[in-house]
Amino acid sequence: MQGPRTPESHELKQVVDFLNSNLRQDNKWPITSEYPTALSQSNIHNMSIICEDEKIIAHAVLKTLVIKTPIAIFKVGAIGSVVTDPDHRHLGYSTKNIEKCIELAKEQECDVVVLWTDQFDFYRKMGFELAGYDYSYVIENETPIKNKDLRFVTGNNVDPAALQKLYSQHTVHALRTNEDFKQFLKIPNSNLYTAWDKQNQIVAYAVEGKGLDLINYVHEWAGQTPALIDLFNYIHQQKKQTLTVMTPAHSKNLHQQLGAQAAMTHQGYLGMLKLINKTQLLVKIKKAFRAEGLDLIVFEEQNGKIVFGYGMDLYTLDNEADLIQILFGPLDIHALDFMSAEAKEKLSKLLPMPLWIWGWDSI
Ligand SMILES: CC(C)(COP(=O)(O)OP(=O)(O)OC[C@H]1O[C@@H](n2cnc3c(N)ncnc32)[C@H](O)[C@@H]1OP(=O)(O)O)[C@@H](O)C(=O)NCCC(=O)NCCS
């Protein structure tokens, strides 16, 4: 066994062949086209592989994202394409690759790492916990388009700069370049829908599907709420299928309007998260509280425990999983019985903090 290690440049083809044969056997497209910014030569330094007899037998990849939020800028490491050859499973190889990705994320000063999985217990052993929010709205019934002046277009042939302009108005978003948008527009089965006003200006966009994932899920959207609601209803009319719209917790207007028309609402998690540079993250959080005039905020690590609270009103957390759920949800400060009403009031000014990863950035 050799590794975990990052592949050499010339090994990229071997990595991609390994991933295609293990994760995309029946597919018409290479896995690289689904994750163009993660599984690329420019991100090879963030891949981790384990080899045996010169053959790759396990892989995982890290993609770092710089996420702007109203509270702080977070650096988040997304981990994906975790896979071990079926003949070499249960030997600890994926655990090793994930540990290597975490090490890479630490070196690159990520605050947290995130991954999307249904194997919760496997990742809990490594300190990941379900955290953050993801609200899904299921659109089943036909709803008429309200704004008759809007023109809707189905198709990915849209200027990436126009999408970027709408996207960057989100209060929470990962920084992207126009080139990133260009790459995302080429992802197979990723269908872009746009709404245009009378002046031919783009006013909203929404993306459904992404390779093998998120079919009939709108995982990425931007624009004004009324235009978005019309756009979602247009997509539903076009597809004639149940459509699910994924939204962050902080999109209050959209929640109200989608909630009123959706057949079903589901509150889930953003993903499985793990804190990896606790001190750095706690410094960012304290800075944000102080900027709000809440100078006596306490968030410290002491002897492996987290001490937090306000002024002399201090509490201890033994479990890191609780901390991540307090910081990013869904643990509600008001539900913490042991805390005083005053500390609850102060801490809930900024907690839980909004964190969201738009669909094209997920890996
Ligand atoms: C999920 C997957 C990545 C795990 O890979 P793996 O290399 O077998 O993972 P590990 O060996 O590190 O851990 C697997 C299990 O073996 C156990 N294990 C680890 N080292 C061990 C050892 N030396 N001896 C015995 N068991 C061991 C782990 O505790 C873990 O137990 P669990 O399944 O009860 O949680 C693999 O099954 C896979 O490739 N599946 C298909 C793709 C997939 O689903 N990927 C996940 C996307 S998020």
Side-chain angles (χ1 to χ4, degrees):
M1 195 270 281
Q2 191 213 4
R5 64 171 176 87
T6 53
E8 306 279 336
S9 296
H10 67 85
E11 290 176 308
L12 183 62
K13 184 178 176 319
Q14 221 185 317
V15 174
V16 173
D17 288 347
F18 170 75
L19 293 177
N20 282 332
S21 65
N22 282 281
L23 294 174
R24 292 294 181 272
Q25 285 104 332
D26 310 324
N27 253 47
K28 304 175 201 79
W29 57 72
I31 192 165
T32 42
S33 60
E34 285 183 49
Y35 306 107
T37 54
L39 298 176
S40 64
Q41 190 73 47
S42 62
N43 197 45
I44 198 163
H45 62 288
N46 279 330
M47 294 176 192
S48 179
I49 54 169
I50 292 175
C51 302
E52 195 176 80
D53 301 331
E54 316 271 299
K55 264 184 61 197
I56 297 172
I57 53 167
H59 168 275
V61 66
L62 169 82
K63 172 74 191 150
T64 62
L65 303 166
V66 175
I67 302 187
K68 263 182 90 170
T69 81
I71 289 181
I73 293 178
F74 297 114
K75 193 161 179 188
V76 176
I79 295 174
S81 296
V82 179
V83 59
T84 298
D85 177 286
D87 296 336
H88 296 84
R89 288 185 185 165
H90 298 281
L91 296 169
Y93 293 159
S94 274
T95 304
K96 285 197 168 75
N97 273 333
I98 291 155
E99 283 166 353
K100 172 82 183 167
C101 286
I102 292 172
E103 190 187 306
L104 291 166
K106 272 189 186 155
E107 283 166 17
Q108 290 162 67
E109 300 184 331
C110 290
D111 301 294
V112 296
V113 283
V114 61
L115 50 80
W116 294 274
T117 181
D118 52 9
Q119 309 203 20
F120 306 135
D121 291 333
F122 174 57
Y123 288 104
R124 276 197 181 109
K125 286 183 202 161
M126 285 178 259
F128 287 82
E129 192 45 76
L130 287 164
Y133 301 93
D134 166 20
Y135 286 84
S136 302
Y137 292 91
V138 178
I139 301 179
E140 261 175 16
N141 308 319
E142 192 121 331
T143 306
I145 307 289
K146 286 204 177 101
N147 184 349
K148 302 287 182 234
D149 289 335
L150 288 179
R151 182 171 62 86
F152 300 102
V153 177
T154 304
N156 291 23
N157 190 14
V158 174
D159 179 6
L163 300 181
Q164 167 86 288
K165 204 170 153 194
L166 285 178
Y167 169 84
S168 57
Q169 287 167 24
H170 279 304
T171 52
V172 180
H173 67 279
L175 301 184
R176 291 177 181 168
T177 62
N178 275 359
E179 184 55 34
D180 292 335
F181 275 95
K182 227 187 240 174
Q183 299 286 336
F184 293 145
L185 283 165
K186 288 190 264 183
I187 297 176
N189 272 359
S190 203
N191 305 305
L192 177 72
Y193 298 85
T194 44
W196 304 76
D197 67 12
K198 269 181 154 172
Q199 287 75 41
N200 245 355
Q201 295 293 312
I202 186 168
V203 289
Y205 80 83
V207 185
E208 175 273 329
K210 187 181 179 221
L212 283 191
D213 296 331
L214 300 168
I215 296 165
N216 291 327
Y217 279 76
V218 172
H219 54 80
E220 158 123 11
W221 46 260
Q224 298 291 323
T225 303
L228 274 168
I229 299 286
D230 279 345
L231 184 59
F232 299 150
N233 286 323
Y234 166 79
I235 302 171
H236 178 247
Q237 281 171 22
Q238 292 291 302
K239 292 184 72 71
K240 297 185 174 56
Q241 287 204 31
T242 300
L243 187 74
T244 304
V245 179
M246 299 164 73
T247 68
H250 55 268
S251 304
K252 301 281 185 226
N253 287 340
L254 206 68
H255 286 293
Q256 243 173 22
Q257 302 206 23
L258 277 176
Q261 79 157 81
M264 218 169 73
T265 307
H266 173 73
Q267 185 194 320
Y269 302 93
L270 170 64
M272 288 198 92
L273 271 74
K274 179 180 163 68
L275 296 179
I276 59 162
N277 273 313
K278 230 179 289 166
T279 313
Q280 172 185 295
L281 179 65
L282 296 181
V283 165
K284 287 183 187 181
I285 294 167
K286 283 185 286 190
K287 211 171 144 191
F289 271 95
R290 288 184 187 130
E292 290 288 311
L294 298 167
D295 292 340
L296 302 181
I297 187 74
V298 176
F299 259 112
E300 303 286 350
E301 192 174 19
Q302 284 174 19
N303 306 323
K305 296 187 179 193
I306 300 293
V307 178
F308 77 113
Y310 198 79
M312 303 299 279
D313 223 349
L314 298 178
Y315 307 91
T316 306
L317 282 179
D318 298 334
N319 190 347
E320 214 174 281
D322 291 339
L323 177 63
I324 197 109
Q325 292 196 331
I326 286 176
L327 295 180
F328 298 109
L331 241 174
D332 181 1
I333 291 283
H334 294 286
L336 301 177
D337 300 336
F338 54 82
M339 201 176 259
S340 75
E342 201 199 342
K344 280 182 192 176
E345 187 222 311
K346 298 277 199 278
L347 287 166
S348 61
K349 281 250 155 67
L350 290 186
L351 299 180
M353 298 181 291
L355 183 64
W356 182 247
I357 296 171
W358 296 97
W360 269 339
D361 292 310
S362 64
I363 66 167

